[in-house]
Amino acid sequence: MTTPTSPAPTADIDIHRLTALADVMLPAAHGMPAVSEVKAVESYLPQVLGWRKDLHQPLVRAVDALDPSLFSIDRLSALHEEDEDAYVALTTAVAACYYLSPVVRELIGYPGQAAKTYDPFAYTEWVAEGLLDPVVDRGPIWREVPG
Amino acid sequence: MTYRADVLIIGAGASGGVAARHLAEHGFDVVCLEQGDWPDRSAFPGARPDWELAIRKDWAMSPNVRNRPEDYPVVHDDSDIEPLMYNAVGGSMIIYAGTWPRMLPSDFRVRTMDGVADDWPIAHSDLVPYYNAIDQQIGVSGLAGDPAYPPHDDYPLPPLPLGAAGRRVAEGHNRLGWHWWPEPNAILSAPYDGRRPCVQRGVCTSGCAEGAKASTDLTHWPKATAAGARLITGARVSRITIDPRGLATGAVWLDRSGVEHHQEADVVILAANAIGTARLLLLSADDRHCPDGLANSSGLVGRRLMMHPFSVVTGWWDDQVEGWQGHFGASITSYQFYETDPDREFVRGAKWALSPVGGPLNHILPMRAGNEVWGRDHHELMGRTFGRGASWAIFGEDLPEEPNRVDLDPVRTDSHGIPAPRVSYRISDHSRRLMAFQEARAEESLRASGCRETAVASMIPYSGWHLMGTARMGNDSASSVVNSRQQAHDVPNLYIADASVFVTSSGVNPTCTITALALRTADLLVQHRSEQKVPA
């Protein structure tokens, strides 16, 4: 089983329209940029749809169904009711594009699921420090059974 | 000339791998049929940028969502919990968390101790030698001396790191006077048996590319095949065959092209999980010998399905704890509310395991506790919570009930046209009381550990990893499917090695006990081989 990694064509999706919708979902606020400011949709949507081909058609439906000039977060909830697959495709694609942006990752302090090294014997320090002592001092909590 | 094996094992997961290795190393000619393939670790998504997208589709835990050729659909329209599994060499160990708790003595005596369900026909002490042996085979990281357990052998490896969150919750429990202990994990904290240690990437449940998390494709199958066992992948079994005396003679299986084969064997071991095994027994019905399914004179095949109601309680601190990182797996565990307390409105209890909370997509499109928030408030929520949380994962003991069951769906089939299993399951009122109590205590735990806010995801439907009980063990053939050796009462050369045989569910992750039971079953088969009835 492999996951396709090549970008998917997105000619049937109006990128400007999707970006306008995404800017309502993730606007500039609280020190974070809007989706359009980091060019998240245009930069990453082909890759996201390459990874998740199943999102493509429901995303087309979502973009067709929502008018950016009238779009609000309340309308997003209505889409959830009307076409759940389209809602899932829209929220997943927009969020995935946004949080793939290195600018956004830097701002939230997320390096990805990185490998780390550690000392497997460091536990001796917190054992020596007495962190477990209260637990041990209370004694066994399991129940003896007959037979 | 038809080739007949000493033992045919159906399923190459946790129990199948353990049984195959032990039997092959003791001179048995073993053949195993596995519908999946060898896992390709280079395809595991954890280190890739699309990880959080992959776990929602190609690497989903639900076979219905993955929908790969090797998966079979599980119909669960009438179930409160969605069954989850993985079909490959290594089985669902490929996607399990890797926590490795043993069951407790009281888990085997719930009728005697608490007046509910049934006692097991074996005791905790019967399994201790096998628990100890399996810990060595698997390479378990942990710390001996947990007062929630009877004393037992030390683990082969030191415990995995507590992490910042584990440390804080440990201190919180010390303030409350509550139990905690570093969780034993089937995840290497140091190099072991040619495998590399965990790198704390936090992606255990979508496959461990490092090979640090134990699964039998790593820990058992290479040794089993070196000892002569033959493993056939892409082999989907459609039924077990029997002779006129009612003995199993082997199994019919279909290859990837749909071509039918028959594998003969003296002994058949089912190791296909509590849904797959029940399905196969029901598919093997024979009008003359077993019209209601093979080994089903008790009528209990498929019944008493248990799946552990599962809640997640997440807490968030004011500062960063790198909450996406760690092992998943668990850093610490608590058995404070595991054993029965007569002052509560339920019996039995639950085990808690502290886990990471995932990356950004899991925060904003939460699969567990949390909120989906869009607009300006989204950024405020992310700033307040991302990287600052940890989750108590709570498994409650699920008492067996006969209406909770697996049977065959009259309409849906797998890709070979074999009827799909259908699951009917309801979370009981007893479980709801038990879980509500545990959730409230878990919130107390996290607040005492300094969390500013908490959220509860109560009894999550997408949580059926622990499949148990559909061919229960017992001494009486009228009220059980297999005996204490996991040998079918009705078919003396048919054994069941997986969690189908569980009499009760306990409140702990079952894989440690599944493997210990499988090793015991294989060991007793070796010991009693001269007495074993086989077909002519």
Side-chain angles (χ1 to χ4, degrees):
Chain A
M1 182 68 213
T2 57
T3 301
T5 53
S6 54
T10 56
D12 56 345
I13 298 173
D14 184 334
I15 297 296
H16 295 297
R17 188 176 169 102
L18 175 55
T19 299
L21 297 171
D23 270 352
V24 175
M25 295 165 67
L26 297 174
H30 299 283
M32 296 297 292
V35 171
S36 59
E37 290 176 63
V38 293
K39 300 183 176 11
V41 171
E42 59 206 85
S43 300
Y44 300 109
L45 185 66
Q47 190 64 68
V48 167
L49 294 182
W51 288 324
R52 287 288 305 272
K53 293 184 187 305
D54 60 299
L55 297 178
H56 197 129
Q57 286 311 314
L59 181 62
V60 169
R61 288 206 305 275
V63 173
D64 287 349
L66 301 172
D67 180 346
S69 64
L70 301 173
F71 185 56
S72 69
I73 299 305
D74 291 344
R75 182 69 186 89
L76 196 60
S77 304
L79 178 67
H80 196 178
E81 296 295 315
E82 296 159 9
D83 185 345
E84 186 175 354
D85 287 347
Y87 170 85
V88 169
L90 177 65
T91 52
T92 303
V94 167
C97 290
Y98 188 68
Y99 286 104
L100 279 170
S101 160
V103 174
V104 171
R105 286 185 171 220
E106 176 75 22
L107 284 167
I108 64 170
Y110 179 60
Q113 303 299 128
K116 290 197 163 188
T117 57
Y118 52 90
D119 174 6
F121 295 97
Y123 78 96
T124 57
E125 293 169 17
W126 53 258
V127 169
E129 174 193 324
L131 192 61
L132 274 171
D133 290 356
V135 185
V136 174
D137 291 347
R138 283 193 294 275
I141 61 170
W142 59 281
R143 288 191 295 168
E144 295 269 9
V145 301
Chain B
M1 181 173 169
T2 306
Y3 164 70
R4 185 199 283 194
D6 291 338
V7 177
L8 168 63
I9 298 175
I10 299 170
S15 59
V18 167
R21 173 177 162 183
H22 191 78
L23 292 167
E25 288 178 342
H26 286 79
F28 282 70
D29 178 19
V30 175
V31 171
C32 178
L33 301 173
E34 165 56 49
Q35 64 195 320
D37 211 333
W38 283 90
D40 173 6
R41 285 194 151 62
S42 69
F44 288 6
R48 299 196 316 240
D50 66 317
W51 168 60
E52 288 194 286
L53 288 170
I55 62 177
R56 288 167 163 77
K57 180 58 181 169
D58 288 343
W59 279 89
M61 294 175 176
S62 165
N64 296 8
V65 176
R66 282 192 313 268
N67 198 25
R68 297 184 191 175
E70 64 269 30
D71 291 319
Y72 56 86
V74 179
V75 179
H76 61 87
D77 304 336
D78 194 28
S79 177
D80 290 338
I81 295 179
E82 180 170 356
L84 307 173
M85 64 180 71
Y86 195 83
N87 295 303
V89 180
S92 296
M93 292 180 89
I94 302 298
I95 57 164
Y96 79 147
T99 52
W100 203 253
R102 300 178 179 197
M103 283 170 55
L104 283 149
S106 72
D107 291 326
F108 296 84
R109 294 288 179 271
V110 299
R111 167 59 65 180
T112 299
M113 301 290 285
D114 299 312
V116 294
D118 306 279
D119 289 346
W120 290 53
I122 61 172
H124 178 268
S125 55
D126 293 317
L127 273 188
V128 167
Y130 299 102
Y131 278 137
N132 290 338
I134 280 290
D135 284 355
Q136 299 295 324
Q137 293 179 8
I138 288 285
V140 178
S141 302
L143 187 65
D146 184 350
Y149 280 88
H152 62 73
D153 287 4
D154 205 351
Y155 297 106
L157 293 167
L160 286 157
L162 291 184
R167 169 89 194 205
R168 291 179 188 196
V169 177
E171 290 170 346
H173 276 221
N174 283 350
R175 283 191 283 277
L176 288 166
W178 287 5
H179 172 266
W180 72 275
W181 201 261
E183 175 85 90
N185 288 284
I187 301 171
L188 304 181
S189 59
Y192 187 81
D193 197 22
R195 292 160 51 211
R196 295 192 300 271
C198 172
V199 294
Q200 299 282 284
R201 206 186 291 277
V203 299
C204 312
T205 53
S206 46
C208 177
E210 304 296 328
K213 187 184 74 171
S215 48
T216 55
D217 59 306
L218 296 170
T219 56
H220 287 75
W221 279 108
K223 293 180 172 69
T225 53
R230 290 196 306 137
L231 173 55
I232 303 172
T233 58
R236 176 167 278 156
V237 174
S238 60
R239 70 180 188 279
I240 297 160
T241 51
I242 56 174
D243 71 7
R245 293 194 298 156
L247 291 169
T249 56
V252 174
W253 61 279
L254 301 160
D255 64 24
R256 291 186 180 92
S257 304
V259 175
E260 191 171 281
H261 307 261
H262 184 242
Q263 176 63 54
E264 293 188 9
D266 285 348
V267 169
V268 175
I269 298 178
L270 275 165
N273 84 43
I275 289 178
T277 285
R279 177 195 188 204
L280 270 176
L281 291 172
L282 296 171
L283 285 168
S284 304
D286 174 296
D287 284 344
R288 281 188 306 158
H289 297 98
C290 47
D292 298 321
L294 188 61
N296 196 22
S297 63
S298 66
L300 287 174
V301 167
R303 294 196 176 271
R304 295 168 59 104
L305 173 68
M306 298 171 280
M307 289 200 278
H308 279 160
F310 176 71
S311 296
V312 170
V313 179
T314 299
W316 292 277
W317 287 275
D318 282 327
D319 56 337
Q320 277 284 338
V321 291
E322 293 192 330
W324 59 83
Q325 202 88 32
H327 47 280
F328 198 127
S331 54
I332 68 170
T333 184
S334 177
Y335 289 78
Q336 182 63 34
F337 304 104
Y338 190 85
E339 300 280 10
T340 295
D341 181 335
D343 291 336
R344 298 178 197 142
E345 293 181 339
F346 56 87
V347 295
R348 312 302 298 158
K351 176 229 173 193
W352 304 0
L354 195 73
S355 304
V357 290
L361 288 197
N362 199 47
H363 269 68
I364 59 174
L365 304 170
M367 297 166 81
R368 294 185 168 185
N371 297 308
E372 193 172 319
V373 176
W374 299 100
R376 293 177 57 85
D377 292 345
H378 171 93
H379 298 304
E380 192 279 328
L381 175 74
M382 278 294 279
R384 204 173 76 232
T385 62
F386 183 66
R388 300 169 184 232
S391 294
W392 275 124
I394 303 171
F395 290 109
E397 176 152 356
D398 188 15
L399 296 173
E401 297 179 42
E402 290 191 14
N404 288 340
R405 67 181 298 196
V406 177
D407 64 1
L408 301 177
D409 191 82
V411 177
R412 291 193 64 183
T413 67
D414 64 25
S415 56
H416 285 96
I418 303 168
R422 177 176 62 182
V423 170
S424 306
Y425 176 91
R426 290 287 170 249
I427 296 174
S428 69
D429 289 342
H430 178 268
S431 288
R432 292 180 190 282
R433 291 194 297 275
L434 185 155
M435 294 305 285
F437 173 88
Q438 303 284 341
E439 292 159 7
R441 299 294 82 70
E443 287 194 280
E444 281 181 46
S445 152
L446 293 169
R447 288 198 198 102
S449 306
C451 288
R452 171 187 16 86
E453 61 182 300
T454 58
V456 177
S458 182
M459 288 171 282
I460 301 169
Y462 193 75
S463 66
W465 302 278
H466 302 168
L467 309 169
M468 300 165 282
T470 56
R472 67 155 288 197
M473 184 194 293
N475 292 324
D476 180 2
S477 62
S479 59
S480 59
V481 178
V482 299
N483 63 22
S484 62
R485 290 173 52 195
Q486 300 177 222
Q487 177 185 36
H489 292 298
D490 300 349
V491 186
N493 67 334
L494 176 67
Y495 292 78
I496 299 177
D498 59 45
S500 306
V501 305
F502 278 34
V503 180
T504 53
S505 70
S506 81
V508 305
N509 316 59
T511 311
C512 173
T513 298
I514 292 170
T515 53
L517 283 167
L519 183 60
R520 178 176 178 272
T521 292
D523 193 41
L524 292 173
L525 193 52
V526 171
Q527 291 178 34
H528 295 275
R529 66 187 302 176
S530 63
E531 307 154 22
Q532 179 62 55
K533 284 186 183 173
V534 300

